[in-house]
Amino acid sequence: MLALNCGHAVNPDQIAAQVEGSVVYGLGATLYGEMTVENGRMRELNFDSYGTLRLAEMPQVETVIVPTYDFWGGVGEPTICVVAPSVMNAIHAATGKPARSLPLKHVKLV
């Protein structure tokens, strides 16, 4: 569940889409995000070679909009920056061992 104070909530469905979409990008970067250089060139040139989150891997996200009506602004991609720390803290809480590097596809968790 994600809660967001966005001031005046003009279009709640669009706000939920922005929040949930940024979770997709943040989680994808946390798990798979990596750009590698091979022979002086980028190996990942497009989405066919860049590891990203698949639909079956996406957790259910519930967006709670907290309209305070105290400002007018935008939403942007507010949750990208909180996904990685949240996942890293959850791993530490579950295993007792901190994961210290990203992407997590290279980290042995068991």
Side-chain angles (χ1 to χ4, degrees):
M1 178 184 299
L2 298 166
L4 175 70
N5 174 2
C6 58
H8 290 275
V10 176
N11 187 342
D13 289 337
Q14 180 63 36
I15 294 167
Q18 287 292 110
V19 169
E20 293 160 16
S22 65
V23 170
V24 173
Y25 283 112
L27 194 53
T30 302
L31 298 174
Y32 308 117
E34 177 176 54
M35 297 298 295
T36 53
V37 178
E38 191 173 274
N39 297 324
R41 295 183 173 266
M42 299 307 297
R43 191 168 69 193
E44 297 84 2
L45 298 176
N46 209 326
F47 286 111
D48 64 333
S49 56
Y50 180 79
T52 189
L53 201 64
R54 303 289 188 237
L55 187 58
E57 299 169 305
M58 183 61 191
Q60 182 177 350
V61 178
E62 180 182 349
T63 302
V64 177
I65 300 169
V66 183
T68 58
Y69 307 107
D70 57 348
F71 64 93
W72 287 93
V75 175
E77 302 287 344
T79 53
I80 288 178
C81 59
V82 299
V83 172
S86 299
V87 170
M88 303 293 266
N89 284 336
I91 289 170
H92 185 263
T95 66
K97 296 185 282 186
R100 301 252 185 229
S101 64
L102 293 174
L104 289 175
K105 70 179 182 179
H106 297 303
V107 176
K108 185 175 179 178
L109 298 174
V110 191

